[in-house]
Structure formats: C-alpha cells, structure tokens
C-alpha cells in the first residue's frame, strides 16, 4: 500500500493547483465588471454567456479555462480518493471510494453545465446545482468522516483533527450560504468557505500521505500493510 500513497498524494496536489490556477486566470480576464471574490460565485467564472443572472452581471471571456479546471479537479479528486481507499480497510474503504466518485461526478457536472441565464432558460440549471451540491457536500463529508476515522490512532491523529475542522467548517459554510441566499451578504466569500475547505483538505492529505509513504511499516506488519492512510 505504500506505493499507492505517493500516487494518491500527487493527484491530491495536482487537482487543487490546476483548480486554483484556472480560477485565478479566469477571474483576471474579467474587465467590465471586474470579478469579485467576495460577491461573485465561483461558477460565475464558468458561465459561457454574458448577462445578468441572479442579480450578478456575468462576463467571463475565459470560461473554458474555469470549466476545464472544474472537470480536471473532479477527475483527479476521483482518482486520488480511489487510490486512498486502497490504503484503508472495511467500511472506510468503500465509503471513501463511493463518496470520492460522487464528488468527482459533481465537479464534472459543474464544469459541463453552467450557472447562467441561458442555463435557466434551456433547463440545464438544475444539473449545475446538482453538481455543485454533490461536489461540495461530497468533499466536505468525506473530510469529516475520514477525520473521525483517522483521529482514533496516534499516527493519523493530526490529519484526522485537521480533516474534522475542515469538513465541519465547509458544511457550516454551505448551510450558511443556503440560509442567507439573497440576504445581501458576500455570498461569494461564504461559498468559498465551503469549497476552499476541500482544496485545503486535499493538500493536507497529500502532505500526510507523503510523510507516511516515507515511514517504515509498523513492527510486525508486512511492508505493504495498511495503517490508516
């Protein structure tokens, strides 16, 4: 299993890098109006059409880059979690693979079906929101559940606690987003509280996997035996 850890770590690292780079590039391309990380939703960057949607003026000339970022992030998240599941035993293994795949599907739906007035008119908007829900809930729930599992043993207690904090904060943020929709609050910032937790969790797990990959197997266990991460 030690051989799987660097591969999972690489996928967990590459996904956030590509995703954040795509977001920054697409946001920088907005000219009139300029993109607001506080007020604009992340999916505004992926809108293929300009115009007013939910009270926000959208005009994302590099929407293809953002949508590619969503899809690549999703695929790499799916690959990473399937690899990670192979280092686990019992129910955590199945839960990680299934939830990671669901999260991947969510990202792909977000990158394929955009949040825009055109999507509302052609009937594809529900697919976009379904994808966002699967990605946000899937990623944060996975972090929380694995955190509860990892904190039970000393070698993985730190990443377990980090995962619990991130997953809890992400789920609280998405709940706040739904409760304060159209309340005049900076919804873009609140949304990012539920999305960036997943990105940070990926990077944290990658670091933990790389650290564990370089550790010797526990006394009395074969070199490939699973110890939790």
């Amino acid at each position: 299993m030690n051989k799987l850890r660097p591969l999972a770590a690489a996928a967990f690292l590459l996904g956030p890098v590509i995703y954040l780079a795509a977001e920054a590039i697409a946001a920088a391309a907005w000219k009139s109006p300029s993109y607001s990380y506080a007020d604009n939703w992340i999916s505004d960057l992926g809108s293929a059409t300009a115009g007013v949607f939910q009270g926000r003026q959208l005009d994302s000339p590099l929407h293809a880059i953002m949508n590619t970022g969503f899809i690549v992030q999703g695929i790499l998240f799916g690959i990473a979690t399937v690899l990670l599941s192979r280092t686990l035993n019992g129910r955590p293994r199945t839960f990680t693979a299934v939830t990671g795949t669901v999260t991947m599907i969510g990202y792909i739906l977000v990158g394929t079906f955009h949040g825009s007035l055109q999507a509302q008119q052609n009937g594809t908007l529900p697919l976009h929101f379904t994808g966002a829900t699967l990605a946000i809930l899937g990623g944060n729930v996975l972090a929380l559940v694995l955190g509860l599992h990892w904190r039970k043993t000393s070698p993985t207690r730190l990443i377990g606690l980090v995962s619990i904090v991130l997953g809890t904060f992400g789920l609280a943020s998405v709940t706040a987003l739904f409760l304060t929709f159209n309340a005049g609050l900076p919804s873009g910032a609140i949304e990012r509280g539920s999305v960036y937790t997943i990105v940070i969790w990926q990077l944290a797990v990658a670091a933990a996997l790389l650290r564990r990959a370089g550790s010797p197997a526990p006394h009395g266990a074969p070199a490939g035996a699973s110890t939790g991460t």
Side-chain angles (χ1 to χ4, degrees):
M1 294 302 177
N2 278 345
K3 296 180 181 179
L4 295 179
R5 292 189 178 108
L7 295 176
F12 270 136
L13 284 171
L14 190 57
V17 169
I18 292 174
Y19 172 80
L20 292 174
E23 184 178 350
I25 292 169
W30 282 46
K31 300 301 180 184
S32 181
S34 59
Y35 183 82
S36 171
Y37 274 74
D39 298 318
N40 281 104
W41 290 35
I42 300 172
S43 57
D44 291 351
L45 295 168
S47 176
T49 56
V52 177
F53 176 64
Q54 295 180 335
R56 303 185 303 276
Q57 181 68 43
L58 309 187
D59 186 5
S60 184
L62 297 184
H63 56 271
I65 290 179
M66 186 68 253
N67 290 320
T68 299
F70 283 132
I71 294 171
V72 172
Q73 156 77 327
I75 292 173
L76 288 173
F77 190 94
I79 292 172
T81 49
V82 168
L83 290 172
L84 178 63
S85 72
R86 302 299 297 172
T87 71
L88 303 168
N89 294 313
R91 292 180 179 177
R93 169 180 287 197
T94 302
F95 180 82
T96 299
V98 171
T99 308
T101 301
V102 168
T103 304
M104 175 186 69
I105 293 171
Y107 274 112
I108 292 174
L109 286 174
V110 169
T112 304
F113 302 100
H114 316 133
S116 65
L117 181 60
Q118 183 186 43
Q120 190 175 44
Q121 293 171 341
N122 64 25
T124 61
L125 188 60
L127 291 172
H128 174 81
F129 284 129
T130 297
T133 300
L134 293 177
I136 292 174
L137 291 183
N140 284 296
V141 168
L142 181 59
L144 177 58
V145 172
L146 283 182
L148 294 171
H149 170 68
W150 284 333
R151 76 178 181 88
K152 296 176 182 177
T153 58
S154 178
T156 58
R157 184 162 292 128
L158 178 58
I159 186 60
L161 293 174
V162 170
S163 298
I164 290 170
V165 171
L166 290 172
T168 301
F169 187 85
L171 293 173
S173 295
V174 73
T175 301
L177 180 65
F178 286 127
L179 292 177
T180 62
F181 186 69
N182 286 333
L185 297 177
S187 57
I190 298 173
E191 181 196 29
R192 283 175 165 81
S194 66
V195 174
Y196 286 176
T197 49
I198 301 172
V199 171
I200 296 170
W201 180 74
Q202 290 174 262
L203 297 174
V205 172
L209 287 168
L210 290 174
R211 186 180 69 252
R212 295 282 292 156
S215 301
H219 180 70
S226 171
T227 58
T229 57

